[in-house]
Amino acid sequence: MIKTPYLLFLGDAPDQLAVKVAQGIKDWRPENAVGQYRMDGCRADVGLTDMTLAEAREAGAETLVIGVANRGGVISDVWKDVLLEAQELGFDIASGLHNLLKDEADLVAKAEETGTSLFDVRIPTEDYPIATGVKRTGKRCLAVGTDCSVGKMYTALAMDAEMRKRGMKSTFRATGQTGILVTGSGVPLDAVIADFMAGSVEHITPNNDADHWDLIEGQGSLFHVSFSGVTMALIHGGQPDALILSHEPTREHMRGLPDYTAPTLQELSDMALALARIANPACQVVGISVNTQHMSEEEALSYMAGVEAEMGLPTVDPFRQGAGRLVDALAAI
């Protein structure tokens, strides 16, 4: 088990989106984070106290969590001195990057020398089956996005929290490193061999009570040429009964793809629903989640009112205004 509390390592992150792992932990499990560590040149801030390694250790931090999700998921050479010093001070290190801690010889040697542990969250812990497409009992909801990193995980977590508050049967199903670090379990979907991705989603959303909802953490985007494969696996393996469309309206282009613009919400709805109905003909698009973090309250409310009028679906920022209307839409199915 990964020991808590954490010191969240932001490194030299170039922007706020790059620290979505740290931001997710801070927003959904704040009791597990004592502070943040930022290197020179870091352009991100999750709003925790900046600490040195020694200060964090004194405050009780047990694990340094690499809170950065950079393109390609690599452990930067400029981080190494910090990571090695953390091990010297007794920190375990946890990472959800594709570049595994266990493949870094100097970190492995230091862990053996100091008796500390390395946790690679992005290593699948089970042998997953190939998907069968067999219909399962219970209900499932999946957020699909116009782009990557638009708030799909936050949507599912906010809906799960609201459903639990209402006494509804609900489980958040993590499919990425941030969700796994937040909840303690799940499947690192983008690290599963392609033929078994949909099967792994079937595996973590098994048969359940007829009135139980699995809130499946979304990944990627059908319209993102780099990361569409994980979205397809979620749509077919998850067999969702309900889709939530997720969007961040202030971006000029797709994340990491300056030559690509995001699709419209209608284009996303048409594409995602057609694909979802291959595995579950009864699937419906029931609501829209808008990430309005870069908009004023007035701008956000005006934008969402326009989207709701155009699409005819409840439209909210579930982190900013609550997920109640999205949960109402699920309850009506």
Side-chain angles (χ1 to χ4, degrees), residues 230-299:
V230 289
T231 315
M232 278 292 297
L234 285 162
I235 288 173
H236 286 164
Q239 295 182 353
D241 299 275
L243 296 175
I244 303 291
L245 310 181
S246 296
H247 182 54
E248 206 279 55
T250 68
R251 294 188 189 171
E252 297 180 358
H253 57 77
M254 300 283 277
R255 175 73 168 161
L257 301 175
D259 296 328
Y260 289 79
T261 56
T264 66
L265 283 163
Q266 189 60 60
E267 288 171 333
L268 173 62
S269 178
D270 292 343
M271 177 73 76
L273 188 60
L275 292 170
R277 284 182 170 171
I278 293 172
N280 183 355
C283 185
Q284 305 174 45
V285 176
V286 301
I288 298 172
S289 168
V290 182
N291 179 345
T292 65
Q293 65 176 318
H294 299 303
M295 306 172 80
S296 69
E297 184 74 8
E298 182 179 354
E299 290 171 334

Side-chain angles (χ1 to χ4, degrees), residues 100 120-128 180 186-193 200:
L100 301 177
D120 285 303
V121 178
R122 223 171 191 148
I123 295 180
T125 57
E126 300 184 47
D127 293 326
Y128 296 108
I180 293 170
V187 56
L189 185 60
D190 60 8
V192 175
I193 294 172
S200 73

Side-chain angles (χ1 to χ4, degrees), residues 7 18 25 29 37-38 58 67 74 77 87 122 127 154 176 193 221 224 229 244 254-255 297 305 316 329:
L7 174 64
I25 294 170
R29 291 294 185 273
Y37 183 101
R38 297 191 291 170
E58 182 68 23
V74 296
D77 287 339
Q87 291 176 288
R122 223 171 191 148
D127 293 326
Y154 274 57
I193 294 172
S221 170
H224 198 293
I244 303 291
M254 300 283 277
R255 175 73 168 161
E297 184 74 8
V316 301

Side-chain angles (χ1 to χ4, degrees), residues 10 15 20-21 57 64 75 110 131 148 150 154 183 190 193 209 218-219 222 227 263 288 322:
L10 277 55
D15 55 37
K20 66 177 188 176
V21 176
R57 199 78 175 111
L64 181 74
I75 297 172
K110 184 62 70 173
C148 301
V150 293
Y154 274 57
T183 63
D190 60 8
I193 294 172
D209 295 341
Q219 300 290 338
L222 291 169
F227 307 117
I288 298 172

Side-chain angles (χ1 to χ4, degrees), residues 303-321:
Y303 177 82
M304 289 188 292
V307 169
E308 184 157 338
E310 177 185 352
M311 298 292 292
L313 293 167
T315 302
V316 301
D317 182 330
F319 189 68
R320 194 171 185 174
Q321 288 128 357

Side-chain angles (χ1 to χ4, degrees), residues 6 37 39 41 48 75 84 99 107 109 112 122-123 138 141 163 165 196 209 212 231 244 257 271 306 326:
Y6 304 144
Y37 183 101
M39 298 174 64
L48 294 174
I75 297 172
L84 291 166
N99 183 178
L107 298 180
E112 292 174 353
R122 223 171 191 148
I123 295 180
C141 176
M163 295 172 82
K165 187 168 70 174
F196 304 97
D209 295 341
H212 178 278
T231 315
I244 303 291
L257 301 175
M271 177 73 76
L326 299 180

